[in-house]
Short mmCIF file of all heavy atoms in Angstrom, two decimals:
data_model
loop_
_atom_site.label_atom_id
_atom_site.label_comp_id
_atom_site.label_asym_id
_atom_site.label_seq_id
_atom_site.Cartn_x
_atom_site.Cartn_y
_atom_site.Cartn_z
N ALA A 107 -27.05 -3.20 9.77
CA ALA A 107 -27.91 -3.44 10.93
C ALA A 107 -27.07 -3.69 12.18
O ALA A 107 -27.41 -3.23 13.27
CB ALA A 107 -28.84 -4.62 10.65
N ALA A 108 -25.95 -4.40 12.04
CA ALA A 108 -25.07 -4.68 13.17
C ALA A 108 -24.30 -3.43 13.62
O ALA A 108 -23.94 -3.31 14.79
CB ALA A 108 -24.09 -5.80 12.82
N ARG A 109 -24.05 -2.51 12.71
CA ARG A 109 -23.38 -1.26 13.06
C ARG A 109 -24.34 -0.26 13.70
O ARG A 109 -23.93 0.80 14.15
CB ARG A 109 -22.79 -0.61 11.80
CG ARG A 109 -21.59 -1.32 11.22
CD ARG A 109 -21.17 -0.60 9.95
NE ARG A 109 -19.98 -1.15 9.35
CZ ARG A 109 -19.49 -0.73 8.19
NH1 ARG A 109 -20.08 0.23 7.52
NH2 ARG A 109 -18.40 -1.28 7.69
N GLY A 110 -25.63 -0.57 13.72
CA GLY A 110 -26.61 0.33 14.31
C GLY A 110 -27.38 1.16 13.30
O GLY A 110 -28.27 1.92 13.67
N ASN A 111 -27.05 1.05 12.03
CA ASN A 111 -27.78 1.75 10.96
C ASN A 111 -28.95 0.85 10.55
O ASN A 111 -28.93 0.22 9.50
CB ASN A 111 -26.85 2.05 9.78
CG ASN A 111 -27.58 2.70 8.62
OD1 ASN A 111 -28.75 3.07 8.71
ND2 ASN A 111 -26.89 2.82 7.50
N THR A 112 -29.95 0.79 11.42
CA THR A 112 -31.03 -0.17 11.20
C THR A 112 -31.89 0.18 9.99
O THR A 112 -32.34 -0.72 9.28
CB THR A 112 -31.89 -0.31 12.46
OG1 THR A 112 -32.37 0.98 12.86
CG2 THR A 112 -31.07 -0.92 13.60
N ALA A 113 -32.11 1.47 9.72
CA ALA A 113 -32.91 1.84 8.54
C ALA A 113 -32.18 1.47 7.26
O ALA A 113 -32.76 0.88 6.35
CB ALA A 113 -33.23 3.33 8.57
N GLY A 114 -30.90 1.81 7.17
CA GLY A 114 -30.11 1.46 5.99
C GLY A 114 -29.95 -0.04 5.84
O GLY A 114 -30.01 -0.57 4.74
N GLY A 115 -29.76 -0.73 6.96
CA GLY A 115 -29.65 -2.18 6.92
C GLY A 115 -30.92 -2.83 6.41
O GLY A 115 -30.88 -3.73 5.57
N ALA A 116 -32.07 -2.35 6.90
CA ALA A 116 -33.36 -2.90 6.46
C ALA A 116 -33.56 -2.67 4.97
O ALA A 116 -34.02 -3.57 4.24
CB ALA A 116 -34.49 -2.28 7.27
N ARG A 117 -33.20 -1.50 4.50
CA ARG A 117 -33.34 -1.18 3.08
C ARG A 117 -32.50 -2.13 2.21
O ARG A 117 -32.96 -2.66 1.20
CB ARG A 117 -32.93 0.28 2.85
CG ARG A 117 -33.58 0.95 1.69
CD ARG A 117 -33.38 2.46 1.62
NE ARG A 117 -32.27 3.06 2.35
CZ ARG A 117 -32.41 3.71 3.52
NH1 ARG A 117 -33.58 3.85 4.09
NH2 ARG A 117 -31.36 4.23 4.11
N LEU A 118 -31.25 -2.35 2.62
CA LEU A 118 -30.37 -3.24 1.86
C LEU A 118 -30.82 -4.70 1.96
O LEU A 118 -30.71 -5.45 0.99
CB LEU A 118 -28.93 -3.09 2.36
CG LEU A 118 -28.23 -1.84 1.85
CD1 LEU A 118 -27.02 -1.50 2.70
CD2 LEU A 118 -27.83 -2.03 0.40
N LEU A 119 -31.30 -5.11 3.12
CA LEU A 119 -31.80 -6.47 3.25
C LEU A 119 -32.99 -6.71 2.32
O LEU A 119 -33.06 -7.74 1.64
CB LEU A 119 -32.21 -6.75 4.71
CG LEU A 119 -31.05 -6.93 5.69
CD1 LEU A 119 -31.53 -6.78 7.12
CD2 LEU A 119 -30.37 -8.27 5.47
N ARG A 120 -33.89 -5.75 2.24
CA ARG A 120 -35.05 -5.89 1.34
C ARG A 120 -34.62 -5.87 -0.13
O ARG A 120 -35.11 -6.64 -0.94
CB ARG A 120 -36.07 -4.78 1.62
CG ARG A 120 -36.81 -4.98 2.91
CD ARG A 120 -37.97 -3.98 3.07
NE ARG A 120 -38.59 -4.17 4.35
CZ ARG A 120 -38.41 -3.37 5.41
NH1 ARG A 120 -37.65 -2.30 5.31
NH2 ARG A 120 -39.02 -3.63 6.54
N ARG A 121 -33.69 -4.98 -0.45
CA ARG A 121 -33.20 -4.90 -1.83
C ARG A 121 -32.53 -6.21 -2.24
O ARG A 121 -32.73 -6.72 -3.34
CB ARG A 121 -32.22 -3.72 -1.97
CG ARG A 121 -31.87 -3.40 -3.40
CD ARG A 121 -30.96 -2.19 -3.51
NE ARG A 121 -31.50 -1.03 -2.83
CZ ARG A 121 -30.77 -0.08 -2.26
NH1 ARG A 121 -29.45 -0.13 -2.29
NH2 ARG A 121 -31.35 0.94 -1.66
N GLY A 122 -31.71 -6.76 -1.35
CA GLY A 122 -31.06 -8.04 -1.63
C GLY A 122 -32.06 -9.17 -1.75
O GLY A 122 -31.93 -10.04 -2.62
N ALA A 123 -33.07 -9.18 -0.88
CA ALA A 123 -34.11 -10.22 -0.95
C ALA A 123 -34.84 -10.14 -2.29
O ALA A 123 -35.10 -11.17 -2.93
CB ALA A 123 -35.09 -10.07 0.22
N ASP A 124 -35.18 -8.92 -2.71
CA ASP A 124 -35.87 -8.76 -3.99
C ASP A 124 -34.99 -9.22 -5.15
O ASP A 124 -35.46 -9.89 -6.08
CB ASP A 124 -36.27 -7.30 -4.21
CG ASP A 124 -37.38 -6.84 -3.26
OD1 ASP A 124 -38.03 -7.70 -2.63
OD2 ASP A 124 -37.58 -5.61 -3.16
N ARG A 125 -33.71 -8.87 -5.11
CA ARG A 125 -32.81 -9.26 -6.20
C ARG A 125 -32.66 -10.79 -6.25
O ARG A 125 -32.67 -11.39 -7.32
CB ARG A 125 -31.44 -8.60 -6.04
CG ARG A 125 -30.53 -8.84 -7.24
CD ARG A 125 -29.21 -8.14 -7.10
NE ARG A 125 -29.33 -6.70 -7.10
CZ ARG A 125 -29.18 -5.92 -8.17
NH1 ARG A 125 -28.91 -6.46 -9.34
NH2 ARG A 125 -29.26 -4.62 -8.08
N LEU A 126 -32.54 -11.41 -5.07
CA LEU A 126 -32.43 -12.87 -5.03
C LEU A 126 -33.70 -13.54 -5.54
O LEU A 126 -33.64 -14.51 -6.29
CB LEU A 126 -32.17 -13.35 -3.60
CG LEU A 126 -30.74 -13.47 -3.14
CD1 LEU A 126 -30.70 -14.02 -1.72
CD2 LEU A 126 -29.92 -14.32 -4.06
N ALA A 127 -34.84 -13.02 -5.11
CA ALA A 127 -36.12 -13.60 -5.53
C ALA A 127 -36.29 -13.51 -7.04
O ALA A 127 -36.89 -14.39 -7.65
CB ALA A 127 -37.27 -12.90 -4.82
N ASP A 128 -35.75 -12.46 -7.64
CA ASP A 128 -35.86 -12.27 -9.09
C ASP A 128 -34.74 -12.94 -9.89
O ASP A 128 -34.79 -12.95 -11.11
CB ASP A 128 -35.87 -10.77 -9.42
CG ASP A 128 -37.11 -10.06 -8.90
OD1 ASP A 128 -38.11 -10.76 -8.61
OD2 ASP A 128 -37.07 -8.82 -8.78
N ALA A 129 -33.73 -13.48 -9.19
CA ALA A 129 -32.58 -14.06 -9.88
C ALA A 129 -32.92 -15.37 -10.59
O ALA A 129 -32.20 -15.79 -11.49
CB ALA A 129 -31.42 -14.29 -8.91
N GLY A 130 -33.99 -16.00 -10.18
CA GLY A 130 -34.39 -17.25 -10.81
C GLY A 130 -33.78 -18.45 -10.11
O GLY A 130 -32.83 -18.32 -9.33
N PRO A 131 -34.32 -19.63 -10.38
CA PRO A 131 -33.89 -20.83 -9.67
C PRO A 131 -32.51 -21.34 -10.06
O PRO A 131 -31.87 -22.04 -9.31
CB PRO A 131 -34.96 -21.86 -10.05
CG PRO A 131 -35.51 -21.37 -11.34
CD PRO A 131 -35.41 -19.87 -11.31
N VAL A 132 -32.07 -21.01 -11.26
CA VAL A 132 -30.75 -21.44 -11.69
C VAL A 132 -29.94 -20.17 -11.89
O VAL A 132 -30.45 -19.22 -12.48
CB VAL A 132 -30.83 -22.25 -13.01
CG1 VAL A 132 -29.45 -22.60 -13.52
CG2 VAL A 132 -31.66 -23.50 -12.79
N PRO A 133 -28.76 -20.09 -11.35
CA PRO A 133 -27.90 -21.13 -10.82
C PRO A 133 -28.07 -21.39 -9.32
O PRO A 133 -27.44 -22.29 -8.80
CB PRO A 133 -26.51 -20.61 -11.12
CG PRO A 133 -26.66 -19.14 -10.97
CD PRO A 133 -28.04 -18.83 -11.48
N ALA A 134 -28.89 -20.60 -8.63
CA ALA A 134 -29.00 -20.75 -7.18
C ALA A 134 -29.30 -22.19 -6.80
O ALA A 134 -28.66 -22.76 -5.92
CB ALA A 134 -30.06 -19.81 -6.63
N GLY A 135 -30.26 -22.80 -7.49
CA GLY A 135 -30.61 -24.18 -7.18
C GLY A 135 -29.46 -25.14 -7.43
O GLY A 135 -29.25 -26.08 -6.67
N ALA A 136 -28.71 -24.88 -8.47
CA ALA A 136 -27.58 -25.75 -8.80
C ALA A 136 -26.50 -25.69 -7.72
O ALA A 136 -25.77 -26.66 -7.52
CB ALA A 136 -26.99 -25.35 -10.15
N TYR A 137 -26.40 -24.58 -7.01
CA TYR A 137 -25.37 -24.42 -5.98
C TYR A 137 -25.91 -24.76 -4.59
O TYR A 137 -25.19 -24.62 -3.61
CB TYR A 137 -24.82 -23.00 -5.99
CG TYR A 137 -24.21 -22.60 -7.32
CD1 TYR A 137 -24.30 -21.29 -7.75
CD2 TYR A 137 -23.55 -23.51 -8.13
CE1 TYR A 137 -23.75 -20.90 -8.97
CE2 TYR A 137 -23.00 -23.14 -9.34
CZ TYR A 137 -23.11 -21.84 -9.75
OH TYR A 137 -22.56 -21.46 -10.96
N GLY A 138 -27.17 -25.15 -4.50
CA GLY A 138 -27.75 -25.51 -3.21
C GLY A 138 -28.10 -24.32 -2.33
O GLY A 138 -28.30 -24.46 -1.14
N ILE A 139 -28.16 -23.14 -2.91
CA ILE A 139 -28.47 -21.93 -2.13
C ILE A 139 -29.95 -21.94 -1.76
O ILE A 139 -30.81 -22.17 -2.61
CB ILE A 139 -28.11 -20.67 -2.93
CG1 ILE A 139 -26.61 -20.64 -3.21
CG2 ILE A 139 -28.55 -19.41 -2.17
CD1 ILE A 139 -26.18 -19.56 -4.18
N ASP A 140 -30.23 -21.70 -0.52
CA ASP A 140 -31.60 -21.68 -0.01
C ASP A 140 -32.20 -20.29 -0.25
O ASP A 140 -32.31 -19.48 0.67
CB ASP A 140 -31.61 -22.03 1.48
CG ASP A 140 -33.00 -22.10 2.08
OD1 ASP A 140 -33.99 -22.04 1.31
OD2 ASP A 140 -33.09 -22.20 3.31
N VAL A 141 -32.57 -20.03 -1.48
CA VAL A 141 -33.07 -18.70 -1.84
C VAL A 141 -34.31 -18.35 -1.04
O VAL A 141 -34.40 -17.27 -0.46
CB VAL A 141 -33.34 -18.61 -3.37
CG1 VAL A 141 -34.04 -17.30 -3.72
CG2 VAL A 141 -32.03 -18.73 -4.14
N ALA A 142 -35.28 -19.25 -0.97
CA ALA A 142 -36.52 -18.96 -0.23
C ALA A 142 -36.22 -18.67 1.24
O ALA A 142 -36.77 -17.73 1.83
CB ALA A 142 -37.51 -20.11 -0.37
N GLY A 143 -35.34 -19.47 1.83
CA GLY A 143 -34.98 -19.26 3.23
C GLY A 143 -34.25 -17.94 3.44
O GLY A 143 -34.51 -17.23 4.43
N LEU A 144 -33.36 -17.58 2.52
CA LEU A 144 -32.63 -16.32 2.64
C LEU A 144 -33.54 -15.11 2.46
O LEU A 144 -33.42 -14.12 3.17
CB LEU A 144 -31.48 -16.27 1.62
CG LEU A 144 -30.30 -17.18 1.94
CD1 LEU A 144 -29.37 -17.28 0.73
CD2 LEU A 144 -29.55 -16.69 3.16
N VAL A 145 -34.47 -15.21 1.51
CA VAL A 145 -35.42 -14.12 1.28
C VAL A 145 -36.28 -13.92 2.54
O VAL A 145 -36.46 -12.79 3.00
CB VAL A 145 -36.28 -14.39 0.03
CG1 VAL A 145 -37.46 -13.44 -0.06
CG2 VAL A 145 -35.42 -14.28 -1.23
N ALA A 146 -36.78 -15.02 3.10
CA ALA A 146 -37.59 -14.93 4.32
C ALA A 146 -36.76 -14.37 5.49
O ALA A 146 -37.24 -13.51 6.24
CB ALA A 146 -38.16 -16.30 4.67
N TRP A 147 -35.52 -14.85 5.64
CA TRP A 147 -34.63 -14.36 6.70
C TRP A 147 -34.41 -12.86 6.57
O TRP A 147 -34.52 -12.12 7.55
CB TRP A 147 -33.28 -15.10 6.64
CG TRP A 147 -32.21 -14.45 7.46
CD1 TRP A 147 -32.00 -14.60 8.78
CD2 TRP A 147 -31.23 -13.50 7.00
NE1 TRP A 147 -30.93 -13.81 9.18
CE2 TRP A 147 -30.46 -13.13 8.10
CE3 TRP A 147 -30.95 -12.94 5.75
CZ2 TRP A 147 -29.40 -12.22 8.01
CZ3 TRP A 147 -29.90 -12.04 5.66
CH2 TRP A 147 -29.14 -11.69 6.78
N ALA A 148 -34.09 -12.40 5.36
CA ALA A 148 -33.79 -10.99 5.15
C ALA A 148 -35.00 -10.11 5.43
O ALA A 148 -34.88 -9.06 6.09
CB ALA A 148 -33.30 -10.76 3.71
N ARG A 149 -36.15 -10.52 4.95
CA ARG A 149 -37.36 -9.71 5.18
C ARG A 149 -37.75 -9.68 6.65
O ARG A 149 -38.16 -8.64 7.17
CB ARG A 149 -38.49 -10.22 4.29
CG ARG A 149 -38.19 -9.92 2.82
CD ARG A 149 -39.30 -10.32 1.88
NE ARG A 149 -38.96 -9.87 0.53
CZ ARG A 149 -39.32 -10.49 -0.57
NH1 ARG A 149 -40.08 -11.58 -0.50
NH2 ARG A 149 -38.96 -10.02 -1.75
N GLU A 150 -37.59 -10.80 7.32
CA GLU A 150 -37.91 -10.85 8.76
C GLU A 150 -36.93 -9.99 9.56
O GLU A 150 -37.34 -9.22 10.43
CB GLU A 150 -37.88 -12.31 9.23
CG GLU A 150 -38.40 -12.52 10.64
CD GLU A 150 -37.35 -12.31 11.72
OE1 GLU A 150 -36.16 -12.56 11.45
OE2 GLU A 150 -37.72 -11.88 12.83
N LEU A 151 -35.64 -10.08 9.26
CA LEU A 151 -34.66 -9.27 9.98
C LEU A 151 -34.87 -7.79 9.70
O LEU A 151 -34.78 -6.96 10.60
CB LEU A 151 -33.22 -9.69 9.60
CG LEU A 151 -32.11 -8.94 10.33
CD1 LEU A 151 -32.19 -9.12 11.84
CD2 LEU A 151 -30.74 -9.40 9.81
N ALA A 152 -35.18 -7.44 8.46
CA ALA A 152 -35.45 -6.04 8.12
C ALA A 152 -36.63 -5.52 8.93
O ALA A 152 -36.58 -4.42 9.49
CB ALA A 152 -35.72 -5.91 6.62
N GLU A 153 -37.70 -6.29 8.99
CA GLU A 153 -38.89 -5.89 9.74
C GLU A 153 -38.59 -5.73 11.23
O GLU A 153 -39.01 -4.78 11.87
CB GLU A 153 -39.99 -6.93 9.53
CG GLU A 153 -41.30 -6.60 10.19
CD GLU A 153 -42.01 -5.42 9.54
OE1 GLU A 153 -41.82 -5.19 8.33
OE2 GLU A 153 -42.75 -4.73 10.26
N ARG A 154 -37.83 -6.67 11.77
CA ARG A 154 -37.55 -6.68 13.20
C ARG A 154 -36.59 -5.57 13.63
O ARG A 154 -36.70 -5.04 14.73
CB ARG A 154 -36.96 -8.05 13.57
CG ARG A 154 -36.83 -8.31 15.02
CD ARG A 154 -36.66 -9.78 15.37
NE ARG A 154 -35.94 -10.58 14.41
CZ ARG A 154 -34.62 -10.75 14.42
NH1 ARG A 154 -33.87 -10.17 15.33
NH2 ARG A 154 -34.05 -11.52 13.51
N THR A 155 -35.65 -5.21 12.76
CA THR A 155 -34.63 -4.24 13.18
C THR A 155 -34.92 -2.82 12.74
O THR A 155 -34.39 -1.88 13.34
CB THR A 155 -33.24 -4.64 12.63
OG1 THR A 155 -33.27 -4.68 11.22
CG2 THR A 155 -32.80 -5.97 13.20
N GLU A 156 -35.73 -2.64 11.71
CA GLU A 156 -35.96 -1.29 11.17
C GLU A 156 -36.51 -0.37 12.25
O GLU A 156 -37.50 -0.67 12.89
CB GLU A 156 -36.90 -1.33 9.98
CG GLU A 156 -37.03 0.01 9.30
CD GLU A 156 -37.79 -0.12 7.98
OE1 GLU A 156 -38.81 -0.82 7.95
OE2 GLU A 156 -37.33 0.48 7.01
N GLY A 157 -35.87 0.75 12.42
CA GLY A 157 -36.32 1.74 13.40
C GLY A 157 -36.04 1.36 14.83
O GLY A 157 -36.39 2.08 15.75
N GLY A 158 -35.39 0.22 15.02
CA GLY A 158 -35.06 -0.20 16.38
C GLY A 158 -33.88 0.57 16.92
O GLY A 158 -33.16 1.24 16.19
N ASP A 159 -33.69 0.48 18.21
CA ASP A 159 -32.59 1.22 18.84
C ASP A 159 -31.43 0.30 19.21
O ASP A 159 -30.44 0.76 19.76
CB ASP A 159 -33.08 1.98 20.07
CG ASP A 159 -33.72 1.08 21.12
OD1 ASP A 159 -33.94 -0.12 20.84
OD2 ASP A 159 -34.00 1.57 22.22
N ARG A 160 -31.55 -0.99 18.90
CA ARG A 160 -30.46 -1.92 19.19
C ARG A 160 -29.92 -2.50 17.89
O ARG A 160 -30.69 -2.97 17.05
CB ARG A 160 -30.96 -3.06 20.07
CG ARG A 160 -31.18 -2.65 21.50
CD ARG A 160 -31.40 -3.83 22.44
NE ARG A 160 -31.26 -5.13 21.80
CZ ARG A 160 -32.05 -6.15 22.07
NH1 ARG A 160 -33.04 -6.03 22.91
NH2 ARG A 160 -31.84 -7.32 21.48
N PRO A 161 -28.61 -2.50 17.74
CA PRO A 161 -28.03 -3.12 16.55
C PRO A 161 -28.27 -4.62 16.55
O PRO A 161 -28.42 -5.24 17.60
CB PRO A 161 -26.54 -2.81 16.66
CG PRO A 161 -26.35 -1.96 17.84
CD PRO A 161 -27.61 -1.92 18.62
N ALA A 162 -28.31 -5.19 15.37
CA ALA A 162 -28.41 -6.64 15.25
C ALA A 162 -27.07 -7.26 15.66
O ALA A 162 -26.03 -6.63 15.54
CB ALA A 162 -28.73 -7.01 13.81
#
Side-chain angles (χ1 to χ4, degrees):
R109 289 177 177 176
N111 177 7
T112 55
R117 208 169 20 258
L118 283 161
L119 287 163
R120 287 189 183 103
R121 191 177 306 149
D124 291 346
R125 188 178 294 265
L126 271 183
D128 293 341
V132 176
Y137 302 146
I139 298 170
D140 183 9
V141 172
L144 288 168
V145 168
W147 166 83
R149 291 184 175 148
E150 189 274 330
L151 182 60
E153 183 69 28
R154 190 163 33 89
T155 60
E156 186 171 44
D159 58 351
R160 285 192 5 220

